[in-house]
Each structure stands twice: as structure tokens, then as C-alpha cells.
Amino acid sequence: MKHFIITVYGKVQGVSFRAATKAIADQLSIKGFVRNQVDGSVYIEAEGDQFSINYLVDWCKEGPDTAVVEKVDVSEGEIKNYLNFEIVKKHRI
């Protein structure tokens, strides 16, 4: 089990990036969350096996058809044992 923190930059808000990320995460049995950031980026915490996380990271480099991804930052974090994958509606500070 791995825990990755993924931040996606570019035209990634208002293009269904969060909904598409949730759909991919659910298909891959990835747990965690996705939320929009105040700076226009999308922030993801994802937990799953190495293959699934790698697939999600690769997908984030393209995103949904309407997104324009400029950069993706990825780092590893501590396991938090999320129970599901959620779209978080509000910004967290």
C-alpha cells in the first residue's frame, strides 16, 4: 500500500477534473480525496497499490479531454487508511 500526494497544475478547474479523477480512482480501488486549490491547481491524496497509483499519476498528466495539464508534482506520504475516494468541495487552508 502506497500513499501519494499529487498536485496538478494548468487548466484543471472547471473541466470536470475532480469527477474524472474520482471515476478513475474508483475503478482502481484507490482511496483518498481530490479537491480544488485556491491557486487553481487540483490536489489529490491517493492510497492504493503501486500499479494503481502509477496509473493514476500517468492519467493525471493528461486528465480529462477538456483539461490542459502543465505540470504534475508527486510525493510520497504516510498511509492514512482512507475508507473511500471523495471529492472535497471546499478549499482547505
Side-chain angles (χ1 to χ4, degrees), residues 19-32:
T21 300
K22 178 171 174 33
I24 295 290
D26 287 348
Q27 289 174 10
L28 296 169
S29 298
I30 290 174
K31 312 299 184 200

Side-chain angles (χ1 to χ4, degrees), residues 16-23 25-26 32-36 42-43 84-90 92:
S16 299
F17 203 101
R18 291 177 302 161
T21 300
K22 178 171 174 33
D26 287 348
F33 68 89
V34 59
R35 72 170 180 246
N36 287 339
V42 169
Y43 178 87
N84 54 20
F85 195 90
E86 297 181 355
I87 296 173
V88 177
K89 300 288 187 185
K90 294 185 178 182
R92 294 183 185 169

Side-chain angles (χ1 to χ4, degrees), residues 30-82:
I30 290 174
K31 312 299 184 200
F33 68 89
V34 59
R35 72 170 180 246
N36 287 339
Q37 298 284 82
V38 177
D39 67 1
S41 66
V42 169
Y43 178 87
I44 304 162
E45 288 197 21
E47 294 182 350
D49 63 61
Q50 188 70 54
F51 173 83
S52 297
I53 297 291
N54 288 345
Y55 188 95
L56 178 65
V57 169
D58 287 344
W59 179 85
C60 285
K61 294 175 183 175
E62 299 291 325
D65 291 340
T66 50
V68 179
V69 176
E70 295 173 2
K71 180 173 89 164
V72 178
D73 288 341
V74 181
S75 61
E76 201 164 339
E78 291 186 36
I79 298 290
K80 297 184 180 175
N81 294 310
Y82 293 112

